[in-house]
Amino acid sequence: MTTAAPARTSFLLGLFGAGIGGSLTPAMQEREGFASGLNLTYRLVDAERLGYGAENLAEMLDWAQRFGFDGLNITHPFKQVVIPLLDELSDDAHDLGAVNTVVFRDGRAIGRNTDWSGWGRAFRRRLPEAVSDPAVLVGAGGAGSAVGYALLEQGSAHVSIVDVDVEKAQACATRLAKRFGDDRVRATTDLAGALASAQGLVNATPTGMTGHPGLPVPAELVREDLWVSDVVYFPLETELIHLARSRGCRVVPGGGMAVFQAVGAFEYFTGVEPDAERMVRHFEELTS
């Protein structure tokens, strides 16, 4: 994989997705660029405001390259549909079937995925002792696939995947099993049964996000001996995280994934290793 950035200090980056006006990624990337001695500009390209859909994605990528962008972060709903438009994929993006980071190098568009590594790094920062715990993953979309990959990559003994769309859950489990083995991952409709034999719970659905209130699982299933993680970070204290804290659970809020996916993307874009703890502090300032 040849994604090393040229030795220079000026970068033009962007985020492409729908309904992304509240994203903190531009502020995090530009602040870290400044602190690292780079002239880094990061722009939002909101497909919702532009009236763009998947059919406009090829045009958007071409436009970005022609206007000198060095890379793009890709978010909902384009992480999967962007893949056929790229020249090269990293192994993890191929395994996941999803891309959140596109690096432009020498006229080529190279797809990578820092969602899984971002969640995993945030998890290990908080709960290093729990990396091998069996876990239940609720949500089998792009975020769920990334979290499942991270759980298994860092050593989870078993991951059970639950989704209201049973076929989506099975497809996610099948994809992950190709990489990690059938004995370590499965799709199930028995949430209570899966949680009874698990030590961790991850919410990878929009439930709990601003505008999508509620709990992704029945409250009575959140036991005090579980660790609980959420990928939602608007708000940081989701109803699930609040409930888990009140019951004495160890928690990993969604902000960590948001920060550490940006850490990984920054390095791919610029070739410069960012100060991860500085980016964490900046994120905390932005969300306080």
Side-chain angles (χ1 to χ4, degrees):
M1 187 69 59
T2 55
T3 58
R8 56 191 177 82
T9 59
S10 181
F11 297 89
L12 175 60
L13 307 171
L15 171 65
F16 186 71
I20 55 175
S23 174
L24 301 180
T25 299
M28 282 195 292
Q29 295 279 13
E30 290 190 343
R31 172 88 162 261
E32 184 58 25
F34 178 80
S36 299
L38 305 177
N39 178 14
L40 189 153
T41 301
Y42 195 104
R43 293 288 179 255
L44 291 181
V45 185
D46 193 332
E48 192 170 86
R49 294 186 63 183
L50 294 171
Y52 275 19
E55 67 277 9
N56 305 109
L57 193 52
E59 175 189 358
M60 189 279 301
L61 289 174
D62 181 63
W63 171 85
Q65 287 183 281
R66 288 174 182 270
F67 277 81
F69 276 70
D70 297 289
L72 295 171
N73 283 126
I74 305 292
T75 191
H76 178 80
F78 303 112
K79 290 183 181 183
Q80 294 169 325
V81 295
V82 73
I83 288 177
L85 305 175
L86 303 176
D87 300 301
E88 186 178 338
L89 286 181
S90 61
D91 290 342
D92 48 10
H94 178 270
D95 290 342
L96 283 164
V99 163
N100 80 318
T101 301
V102 175
V103 180
F104 298 126
R105 291 286 181 267
D106 303 320
R108 293 170 57 79
I110 302 164
R112 310 203 63 135
N113 191 299
T114 66
D115 283 333
W116 76 269
S117 55
W119 186 88
R121 187 167 175 179
F123 182 89
R124 293 188 300 276
R125 183 172 177 266
R126 289 270 187 143
L127 301 178
E129 73 282 4
V131 293
S132 62
D133 289 352
V136 173
L137 171 62
V138 180
S145 295
V147 170
Y149 192 100
L151 283 164
L152 293 162
E153 179 69 24
Q154 71 185 16
S156 176
H158 190 271
V159 176
S160 298
I161 301 172
V162 180
D163 196 284
V164 292
D165 185 332
V166 177
E167 291 185 1
K168 181 183 285 188
Q170 186 58 60
C172 180
T174 299
R175 179 178 290 278
L176 292 172
K178 289 180 181 178
R179 170 69 174 80
F180 298 102
D182 293 331
D183 59 327
R184 294 184 62 201
V185 58
R186 66 166 180 148
T188 182
T189 57
D190 182 8
L191 174 62
L195 275 172
S197 59
Q199 293 169 277
L201 167 66
V202 186
N203 173 45
T205 76
T207 303
M209 185 185 299
T210 301
H212 300 273
L215 291 169
V217 300
E220 62 270 19
L221 297 182
V222 181
R223 317 186 305 268
E224 64 179 14
D225 61 318
L226 284 173
W227 55 257
V228 176
S229 177
D230 208 325
V231 303
V232 173
Y233 69 94
F234 278 122
L236 278 175
E237 188 83 359
T238 61
E239 290 183 49
L240 176 63
I241 292 296
H242 179 76
L243 173 66
R245 285 191 201 278
S246 73
R247 293 188 176 172
C249 302
R250 294 167 293 164
V251 300
V252 183
M257 182 179 184
V259 173
F260 285 105
Q261 67 79 24
V263 168
F266 184 97
E267 185 165 6
Y268 286 137
F269 288 142
T270 67
V272 175
E273 183 178 356
D275 184 327
E277 292 305 316
R278 183 167 60 203
M279 292 184 75
V280 169
R281 292 193 298 272
H282 184 214
F283 180 84
E284 290 171 348
E285 291 172 14
L286 291 169
T287 54
S288 62

